[in-house]
Amino acid sequence: MCRAEAHAAGGDQCRRPKLSLHPGSLHPWIRLGLLQLLWVPVVMPATTEALRDRALAALRRAARFYAEQAAIHGGYHYAYTADLSWGRSEHGVGKTQVEVQPMGTPGVGLAFLEAWQTTREPFLLEAARRAARALVQGQLCSGGWHYLIEFDPAKRKRYAYRADHNCASGAFNTTTLDDNTTQGALRLLMRVDRELGFQDSLIHEAAIYGLDSLVKAQYANGAWPQRYSRFPDPKAHQPKPASYPDDWPRQWPDPDYAPYYTFNDNVIVDAIDTLLEAARIYREPRYLEAAHRGGDFILLAQMPDPQPAWAQQYDFDMHPAWARRFEPPAITTGESQGILRMLLILYAELGDPKYLQPIPRALDYFRRSALPPPQRPSHAWLQAAAGGGPVLARFYELRTNRPLFFTKGTQVIVRGYATYRADGYTLTYSPDNIITHYVLLLNGRWLDRLEQEFRRAASTERSKLKRPDQLYGIAPWSEAREPSPTPAEIEQIIAAMDERGAWVEPGYIGAGEPLVSVFAARPMLVRLGNQWLELSEDQTLEVFTTTQRPLDKVIRSRTFIRNVRLLSRFLRESVVNARPTNGSQ
């Protein structure tokens, strides 16, 4: 019998169990390949078979390390110090909080689940279940999730967590749909629920409550807000088409944009796709009807000529509106990509050709909006143009179609006080000296790919377009664009692991919070005692409250998710060429 500690480390001294891939979890063409193997034996080359064995061992070792050593109450941070002494996310920090945004708990849990669906090894399903249980502990009474989950008993009282029966306390109770937060959490819950045969009552009940709340949060016109703490009046927000405002303020008005109809960060697209998947898993017509209404809102929100595309958010008059100080009322090329892909999925899933009709006009408009190369291209322009393809502005001015940008500014953050911007963040038509933390120039290579997908959809029998019942990843509507991993990539992933099963990378996080942070929009001087130091453009100066220098190596959940998913996909796809055993696999 294999020693427990050797098994946990994935040691080669233990006999490996035979890789077991569950046929029901595979795509139809993979299942067809398995059936063909019953009749036509195919011998896998020894090198490929050996790589598959090593990939399986690496997958086990990495998953056990993360599940047993990185988890906090089953949940996860964005990144950890290499020794796991500290974790940090965009919002969660320390040893009592975890992150709910996709590259935190939901993404890690889905990576475990995909590995389980590939190998059927029970500890992987248990790791996914624990991640789902962590989300149950963070579900708000409003039905969704905030960016972080707090596990400290005293601090939990600040939040209206359903698990704590804290709904009537007046505590924080705002569900966010921003950044695929609530939608990603629901994906993990409902997929784990299905794998457990709907027998885990806590996970099942939380998934249904969350999905029902998502439906209740939908406006009558089919849109969703960016976040909410109460459900809208079902008689308000009746459908009306988008239109141009007579005028709009060029200075940021600091609006309350949370209740606006929001495409920003794919809020509506991710909500629609979550409900499409939920309708399949639970066979619930209400979820499909809500997804249908969301698709109809996309049609309403397409702007009329001369700019037949979409804005990031709309006010209640269906006019493009301001959100953050660098998100103006404008036509956006960013979120419009996700909208167009969702229209293709809606056609494939629902079969209504009305979802294809907006696509040619939008693609033609974007092609006409490509920017001419500047005489002296900036760094941002060169980045956008890398690899060929037209360059597009993220934002185009309403009616005039002039590209819009925002100048870079010096930003000062002092802990405990509001952020101070000494200059910059001015709306401009010039692509020079623009902000870099938010992409304002995009590569338009996606136009050709989307046009190909549209032509295929328009000329293909719809039954051949529908997605398989088994979906992977935090945003399955984009999964089709992910290439299959190559043997060389798998070799690199395996070689990059340390003996624990961790992928350690350069970077730093620390327990000390920065007291002061200054982002330099242009070269500056810093005085430290009697010393003068140069601060280059785009560099950040930080002053910490500790004298302990942070470690310079980190473990990132993003890397774990990517590598585990690639290992799982490699194992799934390589089984097609495996030698059949006793007439079956």
Side-chain angles (χ1 to χ4, degrees):
M1 176 173 281
C2 182
R3 292 173 53 202
E5 60 270 24
H7 178 69
D12 289 340
Q13 64 269 39
C14 302
R15 183 179 179 182
R16 298 184 182 90
K18 194 170 188 67
L19 173 63
S20 176
L21 297 179
H22 190 272
S25 70
L26 301 178
H27 292 288
W29 65 268
I30 296 181
R31 292 200 295 272
L32 176 62
L34 290 172
L35 292 173
Q36 290 173 337
L37 288 173
L38 300 177
W39 301 97
V40 185
V42 178
V43 179
M44 175 180 289
T47 53
T48 305
E49 187 172 5
L51 180 57
R52 188 182 66 176
D53 289 345
R54 291 170 55 225
L56 177 59
L59 177 60
R60 289 180 183 140
R61 190 160 72 249
R64 285 196 179 277
F65 168 76
Y66 230 64
E68 295 173 3
Q69 299 189 48
I72 300 171
H73 297 275
Y76 298 89
H77 273 302
Y78 275 6
Y80 302 85
T81 54
D83 63 357
L84 297 179
S85 61
W86 194 254
R88 182 183 293 278
S89 302
E90 183 176 352
H91 298 90
V93 62
K95 299 182 178 181
T96 68
Q97 297 179 347
V98 298
E99 184 73 22
V100 188
Q101 289 193 88
M103 289 300 105
T105 304
V108 174
L110 288 172
F112 284 132
L113 191 65
E114 185 170 345
W116 146 257
Q117 290 163 338
T118 300
T119 68
R120 285 314 202 227
E121 298 203 359
F123 86 91
L124 293 165
L125 179 58
E126 177 61 18
R129 187 188 72 84
R130 289 177 181 174
R133 282 288 190 93
L135 293 177
V136 171
Q137 293 300 307
Q139 188 176 33
L140 296 166
C141 297
S142 54
W145 285 261
H146 181 47
Y147 297 113
L148 64 85
I149 300 173
E150 176 64 72
F151 287 101
D152 181 272
K155 295 178 181 178
R156 281 182 67 85
K157 296 177 182 178
R158 303 172 185 172
Y159 301 91
Y161 288 137
R162 293 184 64 235
D164 296 349
H165 308 288
N166 200 27
C167 296
S169 66
F172 181 87
N173 189 30
T174 300
T175 286
T176 181
L177 303 179
D178 180 46
D179 287 335
N180 205 6
T181 299
T182 287
Q183 302 94 313
L186 285 171
R187 290 189 196 279
L188 177 60
L189 284 177
M190 60 190 187
R191 291 183 197 171
V192 171
D193 192 20
R194 176 176 56 189
E195 293 299 323
L196 295 175
F198 311 104
Q199 297 303 303
D200 188 309
S201 60
L202 289 177
I203 292 175
H204 179 73
E205 196 273 338
I208 297 301
Y209 185 89
L211 289 166
D212 289 347
S213 298
L214 186 62
V215 172
K216 291 177 184 177
Q218 187 179 29
Y219 291 122
N221 62 6
W224 278 272
Q226 188 193 56
R227 61 195 76 215
Y228 65 90
S229 55
R230 59 180 59 88
F231 302 127
D233 180 351
K235 296 181 181 179
H237 306 278
Q238 291 300 310
K240 62 184 295 188
S243 61
Y244 297 97
D246 292 334
D247 198 7
W248 56 275
R250 267 55 178 177
Q251 295 291 325
W252 181 57
D254 193 11
D256 177 16
Y257 56 85
Y260 286 172
Y261 312 140
T262 303
F263 287 113
N264 198 351
D265 289 325
N266 296 314
V267 163
I268 291 175
V269 167
D270 285 325
I272 293 171
D273 201 45
T274 299
L275 289 165
L276 286 173
E277 186 172 2
R280 289 188 175 202
I281 291 175
Y282 296 108
R283 310 299 180 192
E284 175 51 68
R286 290 187 303 110
Y287 301 152
L288 195 63
E289 291 166 4
H292 205 301
R293 290 195 300 273
D296 288 349
F297 177 78
I298 291 178
L299 304 183
L300 285 171
Q302 186 176 27
M303 298 295 291
D305 287 335
Q307 296 170 295
W310 290 265
Q312 283 188 330
Q313 54 278 320
Y314 298 76
D315 63 21
F316 296 154
D317 291 322
M318 283 298 283
H319 296 152
W322 276 98
R324 289 177 291 184
R325 64 172 61 239
F326 44 82
E327 294 169 331
I331 304 300
T332 175
T333 58
E335 281 73 10
S336 289
Q337 296 180 50
I339 291 169
L340 290 169
R341 291 194 172 93
M342 179 47 62
L343 287 171
L344 290 169
I345 286 179
L346 284 164
Y347 170 70
E349 296 293 307
L350 303 177
D352 196 327
K354 69 182 179 182
Y355 294 122
L356 293 182
Q357 291 174 4
I359 296 176
R361 292 171 57 225
L363 290 176
D364 179 64
Y365 160 71
F366 284 130
R367 290 193 185 281
R368 289 187 281 108
S369 300
L371 304 180
Q375 290 185 345
R376 289 184 294 179
S378 64
H379 179 65
W381 179 280
L382 293 174
Q383 281 189 314
V391 174
L392 300 171
R394 187 187 191 110
F395 298 121
Y396 288 89
E397 188 174 45
L398 298 176
R399 287 197 174 97
T400 71
N401 212 46
R402 296 177 69 184
L404 296 175
F405 306 97
F406 289 87
T407 60
K408 220 179 316 187
T410 302
Q411 177 175 280
V412 181
I413 301 174
V414 180
R415 193 172 67 182
Y417 295 87
T419 298
Y420 169 70
R421 292 180 173 87
D423 49 33
Y425 285 87
T426 301
L427 193 65
T428 177
Y429 296 114
S430 171
D432 298 327
N433 192 39
I434 60 176
I435 59 175
T436 55
H437 66 86
Y438 191 83
V439 177
L440 295 179
L441 287 166
L442 303 173
N443 191 288
R445 287 192 301 271
W446 56 271
L447 289 169
D448 289 340
R449 186 166 56 240
L450 259 172
E451 185 167 353
Q452 292 170 4
E453 292 173 10
F454 166 74
R455 293 184 183 280
R456 175 176 175 268
S459 61
T460 303
E461 183 183 341
R462 191 176 67 85
S463 62
K464 298 179 181 179
L465 298 172
K466 295 191 72 171
R467 293 177 295 179
D469 287 336
Q470 184 67 64
L471 299 175
Y472 301 106
I474 200 75
W477 56 273
S478 63
E479 184 179 342
R481 303 195 307 276
E482 297 178 359
S484 298
T486 66
E489 286 179 296
I490 298 302
E491 291 281 10
Q492 290 174 356
I493 288 171
I494 297 171
M497 292 178 67
D498 68 14
E499 65 280 357
R500 299 173 297 172
W503 287 286
V504 180
E505 305 171 77
Y508 76 90
I509 58 174
E513 292 284 348
L515 178 65
V516 177
S517 174
V518 179
F519 171 79
R522 58 184 181 278
M524 295 181 174
L525 282 177
V526 175
R527 183 177 179 183
L528 178 61
N530 293 324
Q531 289 183 302
W532 291 93
L533 306 174
E534 291 185 2
L535 191 62
S536 300
E537 181 180 354
D538 292 343
Q539 282 190 324
T540 299
L541 170 71
E542 292 181 308
V543 179
F544 289 84
T545 58
T546 178
T547 59
Q548 182 179 357
R549 181 171 296 186
L551 301 175
D552 60 357
K553 300 291 184 182
V554 298
I555 300 170
R556 292 189 174 92
S557 290
R558 180 185 296 274
T559 301
F560 172 83
I561 294 166
R562 174 188 177 273
N563 289 349
V564 166
R565 293 199 64 215
L566 286 173
L567 288 168
S568 297
R569 185 167 180 178
F570 174 78
L571 291 169
R572 284 199 307 276
E573 294 178 353
S574 67
V575 75
V576 176
N577 294 320
R579 181 195 300 272
T581 302
N582 296 327
S584 64
Q585 180 66 32

